[in-house]
């Protein structure tokens, strides 16, 4: 057979060879993704050994760099150029799985970001991510190329000051790297003190961020320093801006004859407040008087905060930023300045006060025959603590006994009706501390809701439901509801509820998880009744709550599953919750005939309020945890009975029966075996000896170590 003639064009032949070579090189780079390679490594991968061919590899790399397919990251080392395919979004680190994903702004699928690909980005940051070529059957991956906006720049830690440098040593749950502090940016901070630093510079090339101290909190272990550190950790304020305080101090109560004339005057009606013994900000008061034909007038009176706090003032802006008061173990960090929250807004006894009221006409069966929503002026006749009101209810003796007993009678009827419609009775025991003048816990006790608490709860629920229904429920067919702020609670996630039902079978309990909402909620209530007083009560109540959705604020009404209400809002605590202030303002707008407010604007405010509420709850839990560890630090070596309250791949958590303090036994301390984590069955099992530790198991443990810095209690098996 005759050989094919050569084209006689060596340049064309070389070009074809180079294109094939470039395709082969790109296949290698796509395979290794971010790994830098030099020409020798490429040649080796292609089994190229002759020097002349290696020179072709060098030429191909130069050309690929020139057209932007690869980039030279070090002298002679190249990497795939991923910048041609990028996406922006928010980094979200999943706590349990310990994986980080980018949630894209465009709503596309999440992008997995490995730890090595995070650069100097942190959870919550808005970033630009370079996408790797998609591997078959694998989730989309990428690496952080740029931090666009940091969610958090201020961090709390413990100062380590040396002769020539300083670091703010971090709890690694907050930040994986300690913050380098130049000595001229210590701001008076000393070695061993708790302090807050602001990151002022951090690049990918620097292992540690550079920061400056913006607040020195005090010595480690000192109560104020530790409480302020908890607030700072969650980005919550621990002091009030002086200019806001001054602006508030200028506000006068302003209860003039002209103002009274514009309101419904309720000062002659029997009225009182019922609050915790240490409360100073009295948000709500109840009034009651008998009417003709067996009817009663019940007034729910709420502090008229928005009469004093006008929109877009510095007081309002500060309240919006905070969104909620924060309740730590030993203190309250108020949403509003003290002059307002504990002074002119607080419904203190024997003082004329301005209120926003829902006034009900009820029959003897607690059926609401009519209601009106109006601004009022009231005068509280008495300030009850919950304990004082409870004593009157139990003994039938004391101030305003007839009024209190009648209100309690109505509250019990309202409560029974609510549960008949499918409300769920989540009533967890609260852990409280006896604390000395230095903030040190001297004892632990448990607070349970009694009839006096439930009395207030029922009338606040009724007022909240009535206001939400009044605005949210269309008056005529086809009418579009106006923008409003709702407190909603979604139905449970079916998978979570089924997992919960599967787990409680080991205790001998059954739970119906399908059917009408009322049937499922009734089954949950029956379960909660069954476990009351048992050793597994706290555990099962905790897991039941975890199987539920979280209540949030939103303009999209889906009802409140846990309360069995079609319409629900928060109207009754404007001194301590910003959403209630929003509700008051919208209510005023619509009662005055105003048009619907901007839904997008209010949805943003709702989302902010929900987020701040969660942060405040996290800070409260952290303060409780700190005090529990502090309390147990004087009980090292003591033995307690407990129950496994949590199971993770790194250890088991045990809640002590006597005081509800929780500690951890690390897996390495469980004995001579390799334990595997079974997240579906809430247990760990030894690979060799098959010893199982499961959620709900009873254990006897010893207090091994109390680490106040990490807020961690270490336990050992007995």
């Amino acid at each position: 057979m005759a050989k094919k003639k050569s084209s006689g064009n060596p340049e064309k032949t070389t070009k074809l060879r180079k294109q094939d070579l470039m395709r082969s090189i790109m296949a290698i780079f796509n395979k290794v993704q971010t790994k830098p390679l030099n020409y020798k490594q490429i040649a080796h991968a292609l089994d190229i050994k002759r020097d002349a061919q290696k020179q072709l590899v060098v030429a191909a790399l130069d050309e690929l760099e020139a057209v932007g397919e690869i980039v030279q990251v070090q002298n002679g080392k190249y990497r795939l150029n991923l910048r041609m395919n990028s996406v922006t979004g928010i980094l979200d680190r999943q706590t349990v799985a310990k994986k980080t994903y980018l949630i894209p702004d465009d709503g596309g699928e999440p992008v997995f970001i490995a730890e090595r690909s995070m650069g100097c980005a942190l959870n919550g940051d808005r970033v630009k991510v370079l996408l790797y070529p998609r591997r078959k059957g694998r989730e989309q991956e990428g690496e952080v190329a740029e931090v666009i906006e940091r969610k958090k720049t201020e961090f709390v830690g413990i100062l380590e000051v040396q002769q020539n440098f300083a670091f703010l040593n971090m709890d690694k749950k907050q930040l994986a790297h300690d913050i380098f502090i130049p000595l001229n940016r210590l701001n008076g901070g000393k070695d061993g003190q708790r302090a807050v630093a602001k990151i002022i510079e951090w690049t990918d090339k620097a292992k540690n961020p550079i920061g400056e101290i913006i607040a020195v909190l005090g010595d480690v272990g000192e109560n104020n320093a530790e409480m302020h550190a908890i607030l700072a950790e969650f980005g919550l304020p621990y002091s009030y801006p002086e200019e806001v305080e001054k602006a508030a101090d200028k506000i006068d109560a302003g209860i003039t004859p002209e103002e009274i004339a514009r309101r419904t005057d309720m000062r002659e009606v029997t009225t009182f407040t019922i609050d915790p013994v240490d409360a100073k900000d009295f948000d709500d008061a109840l009034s009651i008087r008998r009417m003709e034909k067996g009817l009663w007038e019940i007034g729910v009176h709420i502090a008229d905060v928005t009469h004093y706090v006008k929109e877009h003032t510095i007081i309002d802006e500060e309240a919006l930023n905070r969104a909620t008061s924060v309740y730590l173990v030993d203190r309250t960090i108020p949403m509003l300045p003290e002059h307002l929250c504990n002074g002119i807004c607080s419904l203190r006894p024997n003082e004329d006060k301005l209120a926003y009221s829902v006034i009900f006409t009820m029959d003897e069966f607690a059926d609401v025959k009519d209601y009106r929503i109006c601004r009022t002026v009231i005068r509280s006749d008495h300030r009850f603590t919950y304990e004082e009101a409870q004593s009157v209810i139990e003994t039938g003796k004391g101030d305003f006994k007839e009024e209190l007993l009648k209100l309690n009678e109505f509250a019990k009827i309202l409560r029974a009706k609510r549960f008949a419609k499918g409300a769920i009775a989540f009533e967890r025991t609260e852990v409280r501390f006896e604390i000395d003048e230095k903030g040190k816990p001297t004892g632990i006790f448990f607070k349970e809701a009694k009839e006096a608490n439930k009395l207030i709860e029922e009338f606040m629920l009724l007022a909240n439901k009535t206001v939400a229904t009044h605005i949210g429920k269309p008056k005529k067919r086809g009418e579009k509801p106006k923008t409003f702020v709702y407190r909603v609670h979604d139905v449970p996630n079916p998978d979570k509820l089924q997992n919960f039902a599967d787990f409680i079978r080991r205790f001998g309990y059954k739970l119906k998880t399908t059917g009408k909402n009322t049937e499922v909620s009734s089954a949950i209530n029956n379960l909660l009744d069954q476990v009351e007083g048992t050793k597994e009560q706290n555990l099962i109540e905790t897991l039941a709550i975890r199987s539920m959705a979280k209540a949030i604020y939103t303009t999209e009404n889906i009802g409140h599953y846990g309360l069995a209400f079609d319409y629900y809002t928060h109207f009754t605590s404007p001194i301590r919750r910003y959403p209630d202030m929003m509700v008051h303002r919208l209510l005023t707008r619509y009662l005055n005939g105003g048009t619907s407010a901007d839904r997008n604007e209010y949805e943003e405010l709702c989302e902010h309020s929900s987020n701040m509420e969660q942060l405040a709850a996290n800070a409260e839990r952290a303060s409780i945890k700190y005090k529990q560890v502090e309390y147990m630090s004087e009980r090292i070596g003591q033995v307690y009975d407990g129950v496994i309250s949590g199971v993770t791949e790194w250890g088991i958590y045990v809640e002590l029966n006597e005081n509800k303090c929780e500690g951890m036994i690390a897996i390495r301390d469980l004995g001579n075996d390799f334990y595997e984590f079974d997240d579906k069955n809430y247990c760990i099992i030894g690979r060799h000896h098959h010893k199982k530790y499961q959620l709900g198991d009873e254990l006897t443990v010893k207090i091994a170590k109390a680490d106040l810095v990490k807020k961690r209690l270490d336990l050992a098996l007995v």
Side-chain angles (χ1 to χ4, degrees):
M1 183 184 273
K3 287 185 179 179
K4 275 191 178 181
K5 266 188 168 184
S6 167
S7 66
N9 189 344
E11 187 180 333
K12 188 175 180 183
T13 307
T14 305
K15 190 173 182 181
L16 286 172
R17 274 209 308 266
K18 191 189 290 184
Q19 285 178 343
D20 290 339
L21 182 60
M22 286 165 64
R23 275 195 289 271
S24 299
I25 291 172
M26 284 305 298
I28 293 170
F29 275 116
N30 280 320
K31 189 175 181 181
V32 299
Q33 297 191 6
T34 59
K35 184 179 178 182
L37 300 172
N38 59 27
Y39 86 94
K40 290 181 181 178
Q41 291 168 307
I42 296 287
H44 178 74
L46 294 173
D47 197 27
I48 292 174
K49 296 173 182 176
R50 291 168 54 191
D51 289 342
Q53 290 177 316
K54 287 180 181 178
Q55 287 306 311
L56 284 176
V57 171
V58 172
L61 288 170
D62 287 341
E63 195 161 327
L64 286 169
E65 183 187 16
V67 297
E69 293 286 347
I70 60 175
V71 291
Q72 191 167 185
V73 290
Q74 295 173 22
N75 190 24
K77 282 201 168 188
Y78 300 86
R79 191 191 69 183
L80 191 68
N81 183 8
L82 301 170
R83 293 182 181 274
M84 299 169 73
N85 195 1
S86 65
V87 64
T88 60
I90 303 293
L91 290 174
D92 179 36
R93 182 168 175 79
Q94 299 177 348
T95 308
V96 178
K98 292 187 174 181
K99 284 185 173 183
T100 302
Y101 287 86
L102 179 90
I103 309 301
D105 294 334
D106 61 10
E109 69 167 315
V111 180
F112 172 66
I113 314 293
E115 287 297 312
R116 65 181 179 277
S117 304
M118 286 284 286
C120 59
L122 302 172
N123 184 38
D125 288 352
R126 178 177 295 283
V127 298
K128 178 182 178 183
V129 162
L130 307 179
L131 301 177
Y132 297 161
R134 188 73 172 260
R135 287 190 279 180
K136 193 175 179 180
R138 301 286 291 272
E139 60 188 348
Q140 179 67 63
E141 295 186 37
E143 70 168 295
V144 175
E146 178 188 353
V147 177
I148 299 169
E149 183 184 355
R150 288 208 180 275
K151 180 183 180 182
K152 188 175 179 181
T153 58
E154 297 177 6
F155 296 89
V156 63
I158 299 174
L159 272 172
E160 177 191 346
V161 182
Q162 301 290 344
Q163 187 174 354
N164 299 315
F165 64 88
F167 279 97
L168 189 72
N169 292 327
M170 302 301 306
D171 180 341
K172 298 309 180 243
K173 290 179 184 176
Q174 270 200 82
L175 186 63
H177 307 278
D178 297 331
I179 301 174
F180 177 78
I181 310 292
L183 293 181
N184 62 350
R185 292 184 178 270
L186 276 171
N187 196 22
K190 296 180 175 60
D191 186 56
Q193 288 186 313
R194 279 208 179 273
V196 181
K198 182 175 184 177
I199 293 176
I200 55 176
E201 184 184 339
W202 195 11
T203 63
D204 286 338
K205 295 176 183 177
K207 179 183 176 183
N208 297 88
I210 300 170
E212 63 179 348
I213 300 301
I214 59 171
V216 178
L217 303 178
D219 295 332
V220 172
E222 193 271 317
N223 187 61
N224 273 339
E226 296 297 344
M227 293 300 107
H228 287 170
I230 287 170
L231 292 166
E233 178 185 338
F234 293 100
L236 297 168
Y238 46 85
S239 60
Y240 227 95
E242 192 176 337
E243 65 271 21
V244 182
E245 293 272 16
K246 286 179 178 177
D249 290 341
K250 293 176 184 176
I251 297 176
D252 182 73
I255 306 178
T256 61
E258 293 77 19
E259 185 59 42
I260 291 171
R262 287 191 283 267
R263 295 172 176 262
T264 301
D265 193 342
M266 302 283 290
R267 288 177 293 176
E268 298 304 316
V269 184
T270 299
T271 304
F272 43 76
T273 59
I274 307 176
D275 289 280
V277 65
D278 55 352
K280 295 175 183 175
D281 54 343
F282 308 142
D283 268 306
D284 55 83
L286 292 177
S287 69
I288 179 170
R289 64 178 164 186
R290 187 191 295 270
M291 302 171 71
E292 57 184 15
K293 298 178 183 176
L295 297 176
W296 292 82
E297 180 192 80
I298 312 294
V300 179
H301 307 287
I302 308 302
D304 194 355
V305 173
T306 55
H307 174 80
Y308 297 105
V309 180
K310 303 302 181 186
E311 279 190 281
H312 309 307
T313 60
I314 62 168
I315 300 172
D316 182 56
E317 294 294 337
E318 183 67 25
L320 169 57
N321 287 337
R322 293 170 180 245
T324 180
S325 294
V326 183
Y327 296 89
L328 301 188
V329 164
D330 66 336
R331 69 194 64 202
T332 298
I333 297 87
M335 181 180 76
L336 294 170
E338 187 175 352
H339 177 64
L340 293 173
C341 66
N342 296 347
I344 61 176
C345 292
S346 184
L347 306 181
R348 299 185 298 198
N350 305 313
E351 295 180 21
D352 288 355
K353 293 289 180 179
L354 302 182
Y356 221 142
S357 305
V358 187
I359 301 168
F360 300 96
T361 301
M362 303 177 84
D363 64 16
E364 291 286 354
F365 305 103
D367 287 324
V368 176
K369 297 301 181 183
D370 195 11
Y371 71 87
R372 65 188 192 275
I373 302 170
C374 56
R375 283 185 140 135
T376 59
V377 57
I378 68 167
R379 189 177 181 87
S380 173
D381 298 292
H382 193 78
R383 179 265 204 262
F384 283 103
T385 65
Y386 279 120
E387 291 75 15
E388 290 167 348
Q390 186 64 32
S391 176
V392 174
I393 290 168
E394 290 176 0
T395 64
K397 298 176 183 178
D399 294 333
F400 303 101
K401 62 181 181 181
E402 288 84 3
E403 291 87 351
L404 259 178
L405 291 171
K406 192 65 186 177
L407 285 170
N408 190 52
E409 179 187 324
F410 282 155
K412 288 197 281 190
I413 297 171
L414 290 170
R415 187 175 175 83
K417 288 178 181 178
R418 193 159 56 82
F419 287 127
K421 289 182 179 179
I424 301 175
F426 285 121
E427 294 169 8
R428 301 217 51 213
T429 301
E430 292 182 37
V431 177
R432 294 295 174 90
F433 296 87
E434 293 165 355
I435 291 175
D436 65 18
E437 65 280 357
K438 292 183 179 179
K440 186 177 180 180
T442 58
I444 295 179
F445 63 96
F446 308 118
K447 185 181 177 185
E448 295 181 26
K450 295 189 176 181
E451 284 183 281
N453 305 79
K454 294 172 184 177
L455 184 163
I456 291 296
E457 178 187 33
E458 288 306 321
F459 282 105
M460 297 307 115
L461 291 176
L462 180 62
N464 287 332
K465 180 183 79 166
T466 301
V467 168
T469 306
H470 184 84
I471 299 299
K473 188 174 183 179
K475 305 293 186 291
K476 49 191 175 185
R477 198 170 179 179
E479 184 181 34
K480 190 177 179 181
K482 292 178 178 176
T483 297
F484 202 55
V485 173
Y486 298 97
R487 179 72 167 178
V488 304
H489 184 222
D490 207 349
V491 296
N493 178 299
D495 293 336
K496 283 187 177 181
L497 201 59
Q498 188 58 53
N499 288 342
F500 172 60
D502 293 341
F503 173 72
I504 61 173
R505 278 201 200 98
R506 71 185 297 267
F507 294 98
Y509 300 111
K510 292 181 180 179
L511 178 67
K512 180 181 175 66
T513 60
T514 57
K516 295 179 181 176
N517 284 353
T518 51
E519 293 172 344
V520 176
S521 57
S522 177
I524 294 171
N525 281 333
N526 289 336
L527 170 68
L528 296 175
D529 287 340
Q530 289 178 58
V531 302
E532 190 171 349
T534 64
K535 66 180 185 298
E536 63 267 15
Q537 177 181 353
N538 200 45
L539 170 66
I540 289 179
E541 286 178 347
T542 300
L543 289 176
I545 290 171
R546 287 180 190 170
S547 71
M548 298 286 121
K550 279 188 170 68
I552 60 167
Y553 297 106
T554 179
T555 58
E556 300 295 329
N557 181 44
I558 58 169
H560 198 294
Y561 175 77
L563 295 172
F565 289 158
D566 292 329
Y567 299 89
Y568 189 66
T569 189
H570 273 171
F571 164 79
T572 54
S573 292
I575 286 177
R576 60 187 180 88
R577 295 187 304 224
Y578 197 81
D580 301 56
M581 289 176 62
M582 291 194 278
V583 166
H584 282 216
R585 285 173 179 150
L586 290 172
L587 191 56
T588 300
R589 176 178 181 145
Y590 300 149
L591 292 179
N592 291 336
T595 57
S596 185
D598 185 285
R599 186 176 297 277
N600 291 333
E601 177 188 341
Y602 272 88
E603 188 60 35
E604 282 185 21
L605 294 174
C606 285
E607 186 177 348
H608 168 71
S609 298
S610 297
N611 291 338
M612 294 306 292
E613 176 189 41
Q614 187 59 54
L615 283 177
N618 292 342
E620 181 182 359
R621 280 194 290 271
S623 76
I624 291 170
K625 183 69 179 176
Y626 181 85
K627 289 301 172 189
Q628 286 178 328
V629 175
E630 187 178 10
Y631 179 74
M632 298 306 294
S633 66
E634 297 185 349
R635 289 155 179 81
I636 303 297
Q638 292 188 18
V639 174
Y640 294 86
D641 291 327
V643 62
I644 296 179
S645 54
V647 182
T648 68
E649 58 194 10
W650 56 84
I652 57 175
Y653 289 88
V654 179
E655 184 181 85
L656 309 182
N657 297 337
E658 182 181 309
N659 51 37
K660 306 297 181 191
C661 292
E662 187 181 61
M664 190 189 80
I665 306 173
I667 278 192
R668 64 178 177 272
D669 297 329
L670 284 175
N672 188 22
D673 206 340
F674 181 84
Y675 284 89
E676 295 176 326
F677 177 47
D678 181 350
D679 59 338
K680 221 171 187 184
N681 293 302
Y682 305 97
C683 67
I684 53 172
I685 304 171
R687 182 182 289 177
H688 304 297
H689 304 300
H690 309 296
K691 172 67 177 173
K692 184 199 291 186
Y693 294 97
Q694 187 162 31
L695 203 66
D697 284 352
E698 292 179 300
L699 291 178
T700 301
V701 296
K702 181 170 66 176
I703 310 302
K705 183 183 176 185
D707 188 332
L708 282 166
V709 172
K710 294 181 179 177
K711 295 187 279 290
R712 193 175 76 192
L713 190 65
D714 289 341
L715 306 175
L717 278 175
V718 174

